[in-house]
Amino acid sequence: MERSVGLGGRARSGDRQKFRVALLPLNNFTLNAFSGFVDALRLAADAGGRSRQIECGWSIVGHDAVRASCGLAVTPDQLPPDPATVDYIAVCGGNDYRLRQQPEWLDTYLRAAADAGTTLIGLCTGTFNIARAGLMEGRTACVHWNVHEEFRDQFPGIRTVSDRIFLDNGNRISCAGSTGASDLALYLVSRHCGAELAQQSLRHMILNRQRDANFPQPQFVNDTQDILDGVVRRCINLMEQTLNVPISMAELAQKSGMSERQLARRFRASLGQPPSRYYRFVRLRYGAWRLIHTTDSVTQIALDSGFSDGSHFHREFCKEFGASPNRYRKTTAGERFL
């Protein structure tokens, strides 16, 4: 008869549990990524959603109670375990990613885990913490598009991508967070327990399919890697955050600490066009992505892209891509217009 591994025990040959994860939430962690990850494991671990840790195991670890960015308090089950007793340590970050320091115990623990050969997972901004401990050198980090610029500013020597939902680098896995954390957990379930248990979890979550690691994050600007002007890069980031309700160029200039004329000069020097034109392009790319990846109506996509109505969106879309929104959607090779 097979036996289960107790809390804190690494899955071993002959044990029922195929792998174990220690989830380490940090203060101000994002609940969506944390809960999506652990719930995907829970639903795969036992039949009928009964939550027993049979096929895989997990524990919530840490030194003190922490709060999610939404205010929910979480008390760890145990102190951080010996890294050799788990297969993965998932660092769950959140809104404190701009703090450029972290507790000494966290650096020490993550380095000990790396030395033990335990795979480190950065969930949401947890990749910042792994990088801050000096453990991402020579690797590529996958981060959410909203924090891409900040990560690059803090860790200029680390290649950073936001064109996928997670990236497996062997003993380092980085995940953009949000709903992508569920896909990452299902990826681990498939790897260790088989596709059927991943499907079991999907069915319980009322999802149709598991997304691959390279599924695109819905970001709609070109890579800003070659843009040297930090003000322009920050403005582009702000544009991404305000696609559905575009801000005025006056407000964009105010937020960047300069006049509209100065900002326009900076954009022309970096991108060869004024910020208003680039902003329009970003919103149209968002609309194009929605046309390909959703079944939403053109009118709804137009409104969500910050256009006053479907006719306005239609006119601007045709100018930019040389095809109407409906033709673009029906073209199986639609992405060639991008």
Side-chain angles (χ1 to χ4, degrees), residues 130-146:
I130 296 171
R132 207 164 282 135
L135 300 172
M136 288 297 294
E137 282 82 358
R139 297 175 173 85
T140 300
C142 172
V143 299
H144 192 286
W145 61 264
N146 192 43

Side-chain angles (χ1 to χ4, degrees), residues 144-146 218-221 233-253 255 263 267 275-276 278-284 286-287 290 301-307:
H144 192 286
W145 61 264
N146 192 43
Q219 54 156 350
F220 311 101
V221 300
R233 292 202 306 267
R234 284 191 290 275
C235 285
I236 292 172
N237 190 26
L238 186 58
M239 289 175 180
E240 285 245 310
Q241 297 174 47
T242 55
L243 290 170
N244 60 323
V245 185
I247 63 174
S248 67
M249 293 302 100
E251 186 177 355
L252 188 66
K255 289 181 179 293
L263 185 61
F267 262 78
S276 57
Y278 188 79
Y279 202 1
R280 168 185 162 278
F281 171 70
V282 171
R283 289 158 50 215
L284 287 168
Y286 174 50
R290 289 276 296 273
I301 291 172
L303 296 175
D304 291 345
S305 302
F307 291 89

Side-chain angles (χ1 to χ4, degrees), residues 1-316:
M1 182 175 182
E2 292 181 308
R3 9 180 217 101
S4 296
V5 176
L7 283 175
R10 184 190 286 243
R12 299 181 300 276
S13 177
D15 289 323
R16 179 67 177 271
Q17 283 186 357
K18 307 302 191 304
F19 69 103
R20 288 198 59 80
V21 183
L23 287 105
L24 177 55
L26 302 176
N27 214 34
N28 270 324
F29 71 94
T30 44
L31 187 60
N32 191 0
F34 174 82
S35 60
F37 185 89
V38 73
D39 226 35
L41 298 181
R42 177 185 72 84
L43 293 168
D46 192 8
R50 287 180 286 179
S51 305
R52 295 174 297 174
Q53 297 191 27
I54 297 175
E55 301 293 340
C56 58
W58 62 91
S59 51
I60 315 303
V61 308
H63 287 276
D64 300 293
V66 292
R67 286 191 179 276
S69 54
C70 67
L72 179 74
V74 171
T75 302
D77 300 328
Q78 63 182 75
L79 292 171
D82 178 349
T85 64
V86 294
D87 300 283
Y88 301 93
I89 295 172
V91 184
C92 308
N95 284 356
D96 283 350
Y97 63 91
R98 289 188 179 88
L99 301 178
R100 302 204 174 195
Q101 331 178 22
Q102 60 192 25
E104 186 177 343
W105 70 262
L106 182 58
D107 285 338
T108 301
Y109 184 65
L110 294 178
R111 289 167 187 159
D115 290 342
T118 302
T119 298
L120 297 176
I121 298 174
L123 283 184
C124 193
T125 62
T127 304
F128 279 74
N129 303 97
I130 296 171
R132 207 164 282 135
L135 300 172
M136 288 297 294
E137 282 82 358
R139 297 175 173 85
T140 300
C142 172
V143 299
H144 192 286
W145 61 264
N146 192 43
V147 301
H148 188 124
E149 184 66 25
E150 181 68 24
F151 192 96
R152 195 161 60 189
D153 284 349
Q154 290 194 33
F155 311 105
I158 299 174
R159 183 170 180 266
T160 312
V161 297
S162 296
D163 59 353
R164 54 178 55 223
I165 53 176
F166 66 88
L167 178 63
D168 184 349
N169 274 323
N171 56 8
R172 303 287 186 277
I173 301 176
S174 49
C175 176
S178 194
T179 58
S182 298
D183 297 285
L184 171 55
L186 292 168
Y187 167 78
L188 298 179
V189 169
S190 295
R191 169 192 279 177
H192 294 283
C193 306
E196 177 51 38
L197 286 183
Q199 285 296 319
Q200 172 179 292
S201 186
L202 278 169
R203 289 193 295 271
H204 275 282
M205 292 189 288
I206 321 180
L207 295 174
N208 291 325
R209 67 185 181 94
Q210 175 186 340
R211 296 177 297 179
D212 293 331
N214 61 358
F215 189 86
Q217 292 183 41
Q219 54 156 350
F220 311 101
V221 300
N222 293 327
D223 186 14
T224 59
Q225 183 78 35
D226 296 328
I227 298 177
L228 301 178
D229 192 323
V231 170
V232 173
R233 292 202 306 267
R234 284 191 290 275
C235 285
I236 292 172
N237 190 26
L238 186 58
M239 289 175 180
E240 285 245 310
Q241 297 174 47
T242 55
L243 290 170
N244 60 323
V245 185
I247 63 174
S248 67
M249 293 302 100
E251 186 177 355
L252 188 66
Q254 181 184 33
K255 289 181 179 293
S256 63
M258 58 184 59
S259 69
E260 289 185 64
R261 182 174 295 180
Q262 288 173 318
L263 185 61
R265 280 202 298 265
R266 303 280 279 264
F267 262 78
R268 285 194 178 92
S270 294
L271 298 169
Q273 57 186 305
S276 57
R277 185 183 301 169
Y278 188 79
Y279 202 1
R280 168 185 162 278
F281 171 70
V282 171
R283 289 158 50 215
L284 287 168
R285 277 186 66 93
Y286 174 50
W289 189 92
R290 289 276 296 273
L291 288 166
I292 294 172
H293 293 94
T294 77
T295 58
D296 297 336
S297 70
V298 172
T299 298
Q300 186 60 55
I301 291 172
L303 296 175
D304 291 345
S305 302
F307 291 89
S308 56
D309 53 46
S311 297
H312 185 202
F313 177 69
H314 184 279
R315 287 194 305 273
E316 297 300 320

